[in-house]
Amino acid sequence: MALILLAVLPAAARAQPPDFSDVVAAAQDAVSAGEIPGVVVLVGRGERILLHAAWGARRLVPKPLPMTTDTIFDVASLTKPVGTTLAVMALVERGAVRLDAPLGRYLKEFGGPALEAVTIRRLLTHSAGLAAYPPSGAVTGGFPDAAGALAKLPLDYTPGNGFQYSDTGFILLGELVRRVSGQPLDRYLEHLLVRPLGLADTTFHPAAAQRARVAPTQFANGRLLHGEVHDPRARLLGGVAGHAGLFSTAADLARIVRMLLAGGTLDGHRVLRPATVRLMWEPAPDGRGTRTLGWDLASPFSRPMAPFFPAGSVGHTGFTGTALWVDPPSRSYLVLLTNRVHPSGGGAGRIRELRTRVAAAVGAQLFRPEPGAPAAPAAAGPAADGAAPAPAAPAGASPPAASVQTGLDRLVEQNFRPLAGHAIGLVTNQTGIDARGRRAIDLLAAAPGVRLRAIFSPEHGLAGLAETDVPHGRDPATGVPIWSLYGPTRRPTRDMLRGVSLLVFDVQDVGVRYYTYLTTLVYVMEEAAKAGIPVVVLDRPNPITGRVVEGPLMDPDLESFTGPHAIPVRPGLTIGEFAHLAAGERKIPVSLTVVPLSGWTRGTWYDATGLPWVNPSPNIRSLTQALLYAGIGLLEATNLSVGRGTDTPFEVVGAPWIEPGALADALNRTGLRGVSFEPVWFTPTADRYARVQCGGVKLTVTDREAIRPVTVGLALAAELRARYRDQWRYESVQDLLVNRSTMWAFLRGEVLDRLLTWAETDRSSFLKRRASYLMYR
């Protein structure tokens, strides 16, 4: 029945016109809250325009004027993909420019071996090592002098070895177009794009007759920028620059997108060949690139938009409050234009929310994939991976303690002989202790034949108490330097690794994908591989057992610091097993050894190990909270309190606008196993809603073997969305869910059973993937 419904219902749903009421609500909320003056949204698929509407004001001062769909916007960095990139790709198509040629071939100022690696491809993908923004003085005189000044700037990193969004690079690409084509960028685009496509309102210099429809930006030097580019460096370059300066309307941008989706042709006018468009939008071969040529794919700047469009979709955002996102296979696209900087430069903090809400609403309506062979929801069976459940401990009593040894305990037992002769870099925190409570730091510092060279600390610092970025330091007891991996950098650098011959990782995690210690482990292995340093992981128990696998897999292109690898929310792995899986599947060429646990089995809870409990982070203070975190943690990026700032984080959920009784009753009626809900009022002392009374529910785990915390989190989310759709900003659930199919189903309001079916669709394939990496029965 589940298969039949999943096959039939989406097909029937596609026959219905899309419901963009959530787009309307998002736009109206942003305008009424004063976050933006106004907004224009255009949604299209193929040749059809599905939505084209305007809200709010085009201008607030000196005299308010209403926003209209034909408003002309300063599109800011949208100039990069729809202007400069198209110009460069046309030159590539003609053979006048080669993507892998050094920039110095076309701009003589960049000649010489020192800049040989600054290639056109790397400029287009923001990986050329150039500064993010050039000093204003370097471009004040305009080109050609600016090229010499920019060539003298030091590189920020080795070209090809990183990503840094760079206006500098696109400023240079604009000059490349001028020198190679013999025409300034604006004139070249006029012949290539504007006239052939009939883009009446796309220009670098709006004419006097157009200015009445231009949305002004902010005041600069005592005057309102109205028809003059907002970006200060583009102004210094006369308004025509490769990184910013273009003005356009939603309708004109839609025509550019339609041309690209049609393979470079629109209304009989060919701008680019189909192969050139495909090349421009082609992801990096390893699937982990953050940009295509000139377009965003999966960089941090894509986060408000990409998670709600299919994998492989491309787009861009602009500083003035503009955004464009495109899904080539379905020929669907979204244009969102605001002048959020009008009149005084405000709105920066809230444009992300508007982009997210609009992209979520559009994505839920346009994209409805059908799963191949969905598994039954994890809650339906006694154990998510088919194993028989372990016996539950009697209420109020701890289960009998097992004799479990951690990887550290086993090294102590061997007097650290496997590490003899090495200079150790130890990645650890407050959880890195042996069964007697002794720090791994002190044990290694005193170990025979071993030198403790450096300490590396993950999020929350060495003591596990920090709530913000952590500075470097020095361990008082040993005098060894402590390098923070949760500060200016989250990866160990070559300087930090200098003199280290072996990296040892000893950190207790909580068995949940978005707990950042897993990401730190991945980063450590990747950097160790580059430096040729072996890694030893001292295994520790999965505190919530390794028996249950639950929740949707992360979409691979949505990796982030809270999403290290394509695994479920609750992967049922120890940290050592995860190290093997991540190294193997990511093909990290690291020499990896895992010192295994002794006496631990997959059904063993942490309180049955006999090991001392140490809070792994400030708000995981008990095994129950670790278990609930696997589900309730999904909600914490939204405008809910999940109990941070109370004595029971992740055991209470609420907000000032929630009525507790009705919510608790509704959740109890769902019949979720292993958990009950009580109405509660609470007042956090810190974090979200600090010193504000919140209504909500208290979660009590009644059977930890039966509860499926991810199911609980999704059920709570579904109920909150149904009851508080106007107050709850639920789109941010995707920040940690990072699974499009499940998120689209949630956004469409599908019933819980269908939502769980989507969430568990890929569980069977993951169980097969992980099987060869399991170390314990």
Side-chain angles (χ1 to χ4, degrees), residues 720-738:
L720 285 168
R721 183 179 182 274
R723 290 175 174 274
Y724 300 104
R725 193 164 174 172
D726 292 339
Q727 294 94 343
W728 188 34
R729 297 280 67 83
Y730 46 80
E731 296 85 0
S732 295
V733 167
Q734 179 70 324
D735 286 7
L736 297 180
L737 189 70
V738 286

Side-chain angles (χ1 to χ4, degrees), residues 332-347:
S332 304
Y333 59 93
L334 163 65
V335 181
L336 188 155
L337 302 177
T338 80
N339 57 335
R340 60 101 178 163
V341 293
H342 177 68
S344 57

